[in-house]
Amino acid sequence: MFEIYFLGTSASAPSIHRSLPAQIIQNNEHRFLVDCGEGTQRQILKSGLGFKRLNKIFITHSHLDHILGLAGIFSTFTRWETLETIDIYAGDYAIKRIKSLLYDVNIVPKKLPNLEINFNPVKEGVIFEENNITITAIPVKHRGEGCFAYLFEEQSTRPFLPEKAEQLNIPFGPIRKELVNGNPITLADGTVITPEQVLGEEIPGTRIAITGDLGDTASLLPYCQNIDTLISEATYMDQDKEMAQKFAHLTATQAANFAKQANIKNLILTHISRRYYEKDILKEAQAIFPNTYVARDFHHYQANRTKCARIPSQNNYNNTENKTAKPKE
């Protein structure tokens, strides 16, 4: 299961109720920050999530509304946070802009006694694999170089069947863990037991993807077919599809059509323009793909193989929607 915390859900510029793009993806002990718009550190504090173990940051592309918050976060980290190492994953051009943002204006010294920053250039394919989770980078088309979506996948598992173990007289303790880990064991009487004798059918892990900004969905299809949840930008509505094409963004209709085409179970829309009401975006998408949600700042979702559900929060921020005058983009 993945937990998704939306810290910022606005497109291009913040509004009264929506901050700039940032999400935390959590799976067991793993916590990943995806994008870091201006004000992200304050959103983290307001959410109550805190910075603990938040040492892996994935950037979808180089545009400032997705990276400006790194300056504030790292300025804070150099003063009072206790993280020793932070890994940033991004395309080459995004890394170049992030380094310029952090170092050229001396926000962060290039050598810190208490914090090591590692920059990991992203290419298509698997870029992170640890314990039971894999993250794959998917190239997408937007304005500029090195734009990526990210696919998060849990490892498939096979449940341990205790009744089978009892029948085979396998004692409790580490010996059973060896079987769960896929290793054969030998009992005291010399009987060899293989994992296949006590493990059930394979259960696929949960798979979710997050797009960042993109102008079309063609490159997503090979990776996102049949996934459980897609977190997609929906900057425009279909009435402004020409503008969406001009600025290489998706409409709610395009995101919903892709979710239907790729047989995705659930769709969460974010990166919402100030020019629309949330209810209108939701109505447009749900007419095509009923299992659609529109995220707000501080929304918390749990996504697994069977469902995606929003978890009620004690946080009272952003309980209303807002529409402002139309900006240029």
Side-chain angles (χ1 to χ4, degrees), residues 144-219:
E145 306 171 27
C147 303
F148 293 92
Y150 295 107
L151 173 65
F152 293 75
E153 299 179 272
E154 286 182 318
Q155 185 179 14
S156 298
T157 59
R158 296 180 64 186
F160 184 79
L161 304 176
E163 65 277 9
K164 295 288 186 182
E166 292 295 328
Q167 294 172 7
L168 296 168
N169 297 315
I170 301 172
F172 289 94
I175 198 168
R176 291 193 176 193
K177 187 175 181 179
E178 285 296 312
L179 289 165
V180 171
N181 291 335
N183 302 317
I185 55 99
T186 302
L187 299 179
D189 63 3
T191 302
V192 176
I193 307 294
T194 64
E196 287 71 22
Q197 293 176 264
V198 294
L199 298 182
E201 294 296 321
E202 185 174 82
I203 300 174
T206 303
R207 298 192 298 155
I208 70 171
I210 183 165
T211 68
D213 296 2
L214 71 164
D216 67 66
T217 57
S219 63

Side-chain angles (χ1 to χ4, degrees), residues 125-145:
V126 175
I127 57 172
F128 178 88
E129 192 167 11
E130 187 175 300
N131 297 338
N132 70 329
I133 189 170
T134 299
I135 301 174
T136 301
I138 308 168
V140 297
K141 293 181 180 179
H142 187 48
R143 305 192 315 277
E145 306 171 27

Side-chain angles (χ1 to χ4, degrees), residues 8-272:
T9 57
S10 184
S12 301
S15 69
I16 295 173
H17 299 289
R18 294 182 183 272
S19 189
L20 288 174
Q23 297 83 199
I24 289 177
I25 309 295
Q26 186 166 305
N27 177 271
N28 296 323
E29 75 277 13
H30 295 294
R31 301 177 79 207
F32 307 98
L33 177 62
V34 181
D35 283 336
C36 191
E38 179 185 354
T40 292
Q41 68 168 327
R42 189 163 184 266
Q43 296 294 91
I44 291 172
L45 294 170
K46 287 172 70 174
S47 71
L49 293 168
F51 297 101
K52 186 178 180 181
R53 293 183 286 111
L54 198 60
N55 60 350
K56 291 180 172 56
I57 301 173
F58 290 77
I59 300 298
T60 60
H61 64 293
S62 65
H63 289 173
L64 292 179
D65 58 320
H66 290 254
I67 67 171
L68 269 180
L70 292 170
I73 280 184
F74 280 101
S75 177
T76 297
F77 283 165
T78 61
R79 288 165 172 79
W80 55 269
E81 282 302 323
T82 57
L83 292 175
E84 296 179 355
T85 302
I86 295 180
D87 289 298
I88 297 177
Y89 297 81
D92 289 333
Y93 186 64
I95 287 177
K96 180 180 178 181
R97 295 199 80 185
I98 293 167
K99 286 182 176 180
S100 178
L101 173 68
L102 296 181
Y103 299 138
D104 290 356
V105 292
N106 295 318
I107 289 174
V108 178
K110 289 190 176 181
K111 289 188 178 181
L112 293 166
N114 61 337
L115 178 63
E116 179 182 355
I117 304 174
N118 298 317
F119 293 92
N120 302 279
V122 167
K123 305 293 182 185
E124 181 176 6
V126 175
I127 57 172
F128 178 88
E129 192 167 11
E130 187 175 300
N131 297 338
N132 70 329
I133 189 170
T134 299
I135 301 174
T136 301
I138 308 168
V140 297
K141 293 181 180 179
H142 187 48
R143 305 192 315 277
E145 306 171 27
C147 303
F148 293 92
Y150 295 107
L151 173 65
F152 293 75
E153 299 179 272
E154 286 182 318
Q155 185 179 14
S156 298
T157 59
R158 296 180 64 186
F160 184 79
L161 304 176
E163 65 277 9
K164 295 288 186 182
E166 292 295 328
Q167 294 172 7
L168 296 168
N169 297 315
I170 301 172
F172 289 94
I175 198 168
R176 291 193 176 193
K177 187 175 181 179
E178 285 296 312
L179 289 165
V180 171
N181 291 335
N183 302 317
I185 55 99
T186 302
L187 299 179
D189 63 3
T191 302
V192 176
I193 307 294
T194 64
E196 287 71 22
Q197 293 176 264
V198 294
L199 298 182
E201 294 296 321
E202 185 174 82
I203 300 174
T206 303
R207 298 192 298 155
I208 70 171
I210 183 165
T211 68
D213 296 2
L214 71 164
D216 67 66
T217 57
S219 63
L220 296 179
L221 190 58
Y223 292 94
C224 294
Q225 192 86 35
N226 303 315
I227 66 171
D228 301 298
T229 298
L230 173 67
I231 303 161
S232 174
E233 74 127 294
T235 308
Y236 293 93
M237 292 184 65
D238 195 57
Q239 67 196 44
D240 295 315
K241 59 186 176 183
E242 290 81 10
M243 191 181 298
Q245 184 177 13
K246 176 182 177 181
F247 292 111
H249 282 292
L250 293 185
T251 66
T253 291
Q254 287 174 306
N257 277 328
F258 175 73
K260 183 176 181 180
Q261 175 193 9
N263 195 35
I264 293 167
K265 294 179 183 176
N266 302 282
L267 173 65
I268 306 176
L269 300 179
T270 185
H271 205 267
I272 306 302

Side-chain angles (χ1 to χ4, degrees), residues 11-13 236 243 247 273-276 324-329:
S12 301
Y236 293 93
M243 191 181 298
F247 292 111
S273 171
R274 294 174 295 162
R275 57 173 55 80
Y276 308 117
T324 63
K326 291 186 178 182
K328 292 182 179 179
E329 181 188 354

